[in-house]
Amino acid sequence: MIEFKNVVKQYPNGTIGLNNINLNIKEGEFVVIVGLSGAGKSTLLRSINRLHDISSGEILVDGKSITRANGKQLRRIRRDIGMIFQSFNLVKRATVLRNVLSGRVGYHSTFSTMFGYFPKEDHDIALDALTRVNIREKAYIRADQLSGGQQQRVSIARALAQKPKVILADEPVASLDPLTTRQVMDDLQRINRELKITTIVNLHFIDLAREYATRIIGLRAGEVVFDGPVSEATDAKFSEIYGRPINEDELLAADAPKGGVTV
Amino acid sequence: MTPAPTPEAAASGAPTPPPSKKPAPTIDSKGLQRYKMLATWIIFIGVLVVCFVGVDADFMALFSDGARQNMGRILGEMMRPDWSYASHIWKPMVETVQIAIAGTIIGAVLAVPVALLCAVNIMPKKIVSIPARMVLNLVRTVPDLLFAAIFVAVFGIGAFAGMLALVFFSFGLVAKLTYEAIEAIDPGPLEAMTASGANKIQLIVFGVIPQALPYFFSYVLYTFEVNVRAAAVLGFVGAGGIGLHLDQQLNSLRYDRASTIIVITLVIVLLIDYASTYLRRKLL
Amino acid sequence: MNPTDPSKSRSALIRNWIVGAGIIVLFIWSLSSLQFDGIQEYGKQVMLSIWDGFTHPDWGYVYMSEGEDLLRGLLETLIISILGTFISAFLCIPFAFWASQNMSRLGIVSGSGKFVLTVIRVFPEIIMAILFIVAVGPGAFAGVLALGVHSIGMLAKLYSETIEAVDNGPREALVSSGASKLQVLRFAVLPQVIPQFISYALYRFEINIRSATVLGLVGAGGIGTPLIFALQTRNWSRVGIILLGIVILVIIIDLISGWLRRRII
């Protein structure tokens, strides 16, 4: 589904963002990328839909090279990749439905969308996407009236409205509290299972990674230092990825009130 | 969740019944929104059409041969300013700045007591602050050039009428900005002083003025910027300054000289703007 | 306010005295060349006749079945400011994008845009009105054009500040969903800025209604024309009623516009 071939990202100031990455992510996988901040998680994710350009190498999405794609081709590939952001990235003063509908623009010509009109099928798709994340009833409310967790679900619905083959989520729960974190992660997992959408998530919390992922990729200083199923991602492995013992704040359970949750 | 429910939110959100029963109210609110949008657009376009008809707006006239020739001729002459005329305009230019300075300072001084009367944290008695504000709002409805036209009719042609116009205008502007600044000051020191037995005058001198003074000076400078621009055109109604000469040159169709005046005025206005903005940034 | 270092406080004190003295000198200088004579000649009598005119406004002028009356003049003033604001609210959009730092990579682009806007802003609308009168003849249309062009200076500046403050998140989201540049503008930028744009346009409308009352002084339509005639003929009761009309019109417009602005934001 997604193939990284010798991908290198070097910033203009010489820093290496990604160092010779080779990965092959298969259809329907729920991949969680872990690593310290600055390890290149976000760069890796954003290079998949070319929000960041890479310096050399090639990335294939569904067999097509996004690295070489241009203009229309690039937009056509991006249309198949939904993205979810840490800060939701909604138009706050627009209604929930308008936000979700904006995920449909890739399917229409620039001219026909300029008037802001969407055909009925698009409305149905958007409402269906909202139903999937259980906020159908908020469709006509302004986005800024919703809580953080609800806003993140709207942005999931927006990604779903694209009818994507892949969903990228860049720290989707970093600005949420533990309870809504689980709701959002549950939504992502359900969508991954029900719609067979390949999902790649950057996460800070390693217990969440273990709980939801089917495959974990560990990054350290722009290199893949771990790639395997959850069963192999032991505490010792995580210490290796992080280059030090696991901290309390890297566990979601540590943030939550004292309960029975153990890692 | 953030509060402040819109009508739509209130219609759909309050009791939170199970999601399956939800569609009905949201469809309603959608319909309502749509009608509101439609009505707004119809009213808006209707007003515009009435206006365009009412004013005989003939955009073709703007691009007609006559208009093109006129504009072309004027702009052509303006492109070649008569720099030899520049020596004649320094004196009226200085007068323009003088009008602005005098008008600003007198207006600002008069504004201080009124601003104090308007600020509710100094003058809690509504019987004083509300009429004071009404007077202020009344003064602020009249544009500077209108004041000038009136004062020219009363006191005759000359710079005095212009200065008086700017006095009134500055008074309104400075007083409003200042009383808003006074109302925004930190109440802590005032409370401390009241607690230690200070009277009203002491309160103002030691509690209010130190906090509000930088803002006041900043607003005065800003008003001065506005006044310099205003003073440049006061002459069109006979209230002195460079505008009088500009009017004369425009009336005698000397667009090359008019252009000289406009360019020099713009440069001086821009210089004063930049200097004043710099000073204001240092103040605050 | 209470520095411990006495020399510092003394230098601050000296500086304040110098600034104060400078302002006073400036003030005296500014009064020096202003002509004050001629005021006494008129004296009490003029004042009394003005007072008389203002306290007995010419109510008959409010509405006359034909001819130029107060209501028609005020209506024309209103129309001039509505159209002038409307025109500039659209004309200024390209200028606003030109002057916005986050819309172009080169600083020179936005810098030059900002400079052009400053020049438009300080170019007085009265002069613009006179120039348009030459082009399209005296009347309300010249006033509309003058306000329309002059307002660009301020509106485009406010608009560009709004554009510079947009949240980049939605843009990123739209780009990632495969939107074209125009689609990003339409669905991520415009929804964020339009309410603010409308609010600024209304604010400018409040300013323009005041400006429109004086455009008539140079022949660009509106209530200013009958006002200048009344002033020149010293018809104080008519001046009184016209001023009253202007004040009421401006207050009503301020109230309506303020209410609309609160609803939009």
Side-chain angles (χ1 to χ4, degrees):
Chain A
M1 191 77 210
I2 297 168
E3 218 182 323
F4 281 71
K5 290 181 183 169
N6 307 317
V7 171
V8 174
K9 165 84 183 180
Q10 184 168 20
Y11 288 101
N13 62 12
T15 335
I16 302 284
L18 297 174
N19 195 0
N20 197 27
I21 306 274
N22 283 288
L23 283 171
N24 193 348
I25 293 165
K26 286 183 271 308
E27 195 170 347
E29 280 191 302
F30 195 111
V31 179
V32 171
I33 303 172
V34 293
L36 288 171
S37 55
K41 297 191 301 251
S42 189
T43 314
L44 182 75
L45 205 66
R46 278 152 194 262
S47 63
I48 296 174
N49 61 0
R50 241 179 89 185
L51 283 184
H52 286 353
D53 277 314
I54 53 174
S55 315
S56 69
E58 189 170 24
I59 298 174
L60 301 180
V61 178
D62 205 14
K64 283 166 282 186
S65 166
I66 195 164
T67 316
R68 299 221 190 97
N70 255 321
K72 205 165 182 171
Q73 277 175 306
L74 174 62
R75 297 203 297 272
R76 183 69 182 65
I77 299 174
R78 277 178 175 164
R79 194 177 84 185
D80 290 338
I81 308 173
M83 188 153 188
I84 293 153
F85 302 85
Q86 174 179 347
S87 47
F88 325 138
N89 288 5
L90 301 176
V91 177
K92 293 200 174 55
R93 48 189 339 143
T95 62
V96 166
L97 184 65
R98 291 301 297 179
N99 272 295
V100 179
L101 278 172
S102 73
R104 296 293 303 166
V105 296
Y107 285 87
H108 304 290
S109 74
T110 299
F111 180 77
S112 67
T113 47
M114 280 302 108
F115 301 99
Y117 174 80
F118 289 95
K120 179 155 190 319
E121 306 88 78
D122 283 6
H123 281 259
D124 291 343
I125 291 168
L127 291 173
D128 183 56
L130 283 171
T131 313
R132 243 171 223 292
V133 289
N134 293 318
I135 43 169
R136 165 69 180 80
E137 74 277 8
K138 305 285 186 199
Y140 299 99
I141 294 175
R142 268 169 60 149
D144 55 7
Q145 309 238 326
L146 302 182
S147 67
Q150 288 170 324
Q151 289 192 33
Q152 193 56 293
R153 275 139 84 191
V154 173
S155 82
I156 295 174
R158 177 175 60 191
L160 279 181
Q162 284 173 240
K163 298 268 177 199
K165 299 191 178 107
V166 179
I167 284 183
L168 310 176
D170 190 11
E171 299 277 4
V173 295
S175 30
L176 302 178
D177 62 73
L179 189 68
T180 45
T181 289
R182 288 204 180 273
Q183 289 171 347
V184 166
M185 288 307 294
D186 285 342
D187 280 335
L188 285 174
Q189 188 178 50
R190 205 172 60 243
I191 287 159
N192 167 255
R193 285 180 182 164
E194 288 174 6
L195 303 176
K196 302 275 178 285
I197 298 175
T198 314
T199 307
I200 307 171
V201 186
N202 282 348
L203 277 185
H204 183 68
F205 299 116
I206 58 178
D207 49 345
L208 273 187
R210 280 200 186 108
E211 194 177 335
Y212 289 96
T214 61
R215 174 178 173 188
I216 290 177
I217 293 173
L219 279 186
R220 189 171 155 192
E223 287 184 65
V224 175
V225 293
F226 176 83
D227 183 2
V230 177
S231 54
E232 287 175 19
T234 57
D235 278 3
K237 279 286 176 199
F238 271 112
S239 304
E240 230 178 277
I241 297 170
Y242 283 36
R244 56 166 170 73
I246 297 161
N247 272 343
E248 279 261 296
D249 68 350
E250 279 140 19
L251 299 175
L252 178 69
D255 283 13
K258 292 272 183 246
V261 192
T262 47
V263 183
Chain B
M1 203 200 301
T2 38
T6 60
E8 295 86 49
S12 64
T16 55
S20 57
K21 288 181 185 171
K22 266 313 177 60
T26 53
I27 300 291
D28 273 356
S29 58
K30 177 190 168 192
L32 196 72
Q33 261 183 354
R34 209 172 248 181
Y35 284 125
K36 263 176 153 172
M37 267 313 256
L38 199 66
T40 314
W41 276 108
I42 289 174
I43 293 172
F44 181 63
I45 292 170
V47 168
L48 276 185
V49 169
V50 169
C51 287
F52 273 113
V53 173
V55 77
D56 284 329
D58 185 2
F59 283 95
M60 287 303 115
L62 190 59
F63 302 103
S64 68
D65 287 346
R68 268 219 307 273
Q69 277 166 14
N70 278 340
M71 282 299 250
R73 186 171 49 81
I74 296 173
L75 291 178
E77 284 178 35
M78 284 191 147
M79 285 298 148
R80 295 184 297 274
D82 175 9
W83 294 116
S84 65
Y85 183 63
S87 57
H88 292 81
I89 62 176
W90 293 117
K91 203 168 165 287
M93 201 67 231
V94 168
E95 189 186 59
T96 306
V97 177
Q98 285 177 320
I99 293 174
I101 293 174
T104 310
I105 292 178
I106 299 176
V109 169
L110 293 178
V112 173
V114 178
L116 289 172
L117 290 182
C118 285
V120 284
N121 53 348
I122 300 205
M123 186 52 67
K125 291 191 193 76
K126 282 211 165 105
I127 197 153
V128 181
S129 62
I130 288 181
R133 282 179 193 206
M134 275 170 69
V135 170
L136 213 55
N137 282 330
L138 213 62
V139 172
R140 283 171 40 78
T141 57
V142 184
D144 40 20
L145 218 49
L146 208 52
F147 273 129
I150 296 166
F151 289 131
V152 166
V154 176
F155 299 106
I157 287 176
F160 179 73
M163 188 204 76
L164 212 54
L166 292 188
V167 167
F168 273 72
F169 177 75
S170 322
F171 163 76
L173 191 56
V174 174
K176 171 159 194 283
L177 292 172
T178 306
Y179 95 68
E180 282 170 358
I182 292 176
E183 286 188 348
I185 64 175
D186 178 11
L190 301 191
E191 271 171 23
M193 287 180 64
T194 316
S196 65
N199 67 26
K200 201 100 209 170
I201 302 292
Q202 289 167 327
L203 201 70
I204 290 171
V205 172
F206 297 103
V208 178
I209 288 183
Q211 286 194 64
L213 207 58
Y215 291 95
F216 173 74
F217 278 125
S218 159
Y219 297 143
V220 171
L221 279 171
Y222 167 71
T223 308
F224 175 60
E225 289 171 41
V226 179
N227 279 348
V228 172
R229 293 180 217 171
V233 294
L234 286 175
F236 281 94
V237 294
I242 192 76
L244 193 66
H245 295 254
L246 181 55
D247 195 28
Q248 281 167 3
Q249 299 306 329
L250 284 172
N251 283 336
S252 52
L253 307 180
R254 286 301 301 265
Y255 294 111
D256 50 344
R257 290 184 169 179
S259 159
T260 313
I261 297 178
I262 291 174
V263 169
I264 291 179
T265 311
L266 284 186
V267 169
I268 291 196
V269 167
L270 284 178
L271 284 178
I272 289 177
D273 265 19
Y274 279 118
S276 163
T277 311
Y278 169 79
L279 279 179
R280 281 198 280 147
R281 215 172 283 146
K282 289 209 81 169
L283 267 171
L284 292 182
Chain C
M1 278 294 113
N2 218 347
T4 41
D5 181 2
S7 69
K8 205 172 173 185
S9 87
R10 186 181 294 160
S11 74
L13 201 65
I14 291 171
R15 196 195 62 196
N16 287 349
W17 276 109
I18 290 173
V19 171
I23 291 174
I24 291 169
V25 168
L26 206 61
F27 179 60
I28 293 169
W29 169 75
S30 71
L31 289 178
S32 64
S33 70
L34 299 185
Q35 307 282 314
F36 289 98
D37 46 278
I39 299 157
Q40 285 84 356
E41 290 174 34
Y42 290 96
K44 240 165 97 184
Q45 207 169 357
V46 178
M47 283 303 214
L48 277 176
S49 67
I50 292 169
W51 177 250
D52 189 53
F54 275 49
T55 46
H56 300 91
D58 180 5
W59 295 109
Y61 182 65
V62 173
Y63 178 78
M64 295 187 290
S65 54
E66 51 196 79
E68 299 288 305
D69 60 19
L70 178 68
L71 287 178
R72 286 193 185 90
L74 289 177
L75 185 66
E76 193 175 60
T77 303
L78 182 64
I79 288 176
I80 291 173
S81 48
I82 289 177
L83 289 185
T85 311
F86 175 74
I87 290 174
S88 66
F90 281 91
L91 286 183
C92 74
I93 290 176
F95 285 91
F97 280 95
W98 180 17
S100 298
Q101 269 163 10
N102 54 346
M103 288 293 139
S104 55
R105 298 224 176 105
L106 294 169
I108 184 94
V109 177
S110 65
S112 63
K114 281 190 200 320
F115 180 75
V116 169
L117 292 181
T118 310
V119 171
I120 297 179
R121 209 163 48 243
V122 298
F123 199 92
E125 54 219 320
I126 283 286
I127 297 177
M128 233 166 245
I130 289 170
L131 294 180
F132 278 116
I133 285 173
V134 178
V136 298
F141 189 46
V144 170
L145 294 172
L147 284 187
V149 175
H150 177 76
S151 309
I152 289 175
M154 187 189 102
L155 268 187
K157 177 169 181 272
L158 293 173
Y159 278 24
S160 75
E161 281 164 6
T162 312
I163 295 169
E164 282 170 3
V166 294
D167 174 8
N168 265 322
R171 281 171 85 185
E172 200 180 23
L174 261 287
V175 169
S176 77
S177 78
S180 65
K181 278 209 171 90
L182 273 175
Q183 284 173 330
V184 173
L185 202 65
R186 170 68 183 78
F187 291 94
V189 180
L190 282 194
Q192 291 189 61
V193 298
I194 287 286
Q196 196 66 54
F197 280 9
I198 297 176
S199 169
Y200 282 141
L202 282 169
Y203 173 59
R204 183 65 217 187
F205 175 54
E206 292 171 29
I207 297 175
N208 278 351
I209 191 92
R210 291 167 165 82
S211 302
T213 60
V214 298
L215 286 175
L217 300 181
V218 295
I223 192 69
T225 311
L227 177 65
I228 197 84
F229 285 143
L231 282 170
Q232 277 163 0
T233 54
R234 309 201 177 275
N235 186 347
W236 295 113
S237 59
R238 181 158 290 186
V239 172
I241 191 75
I242 292 177
L243 280 182
L244 191 66
I246 290 174
V247 167
I248 290 173
L249 177 71
V250 171
I251 288 175
I252 292 175
I253 292 299
D254 277 5
L255 288 177
I256 294 176
S257 168
W259 177 77
L260 277 175
R261 284 198 281 144
R262 271 194 302 279
R263 287 209 41 158
I264 286 167
I265 290 297

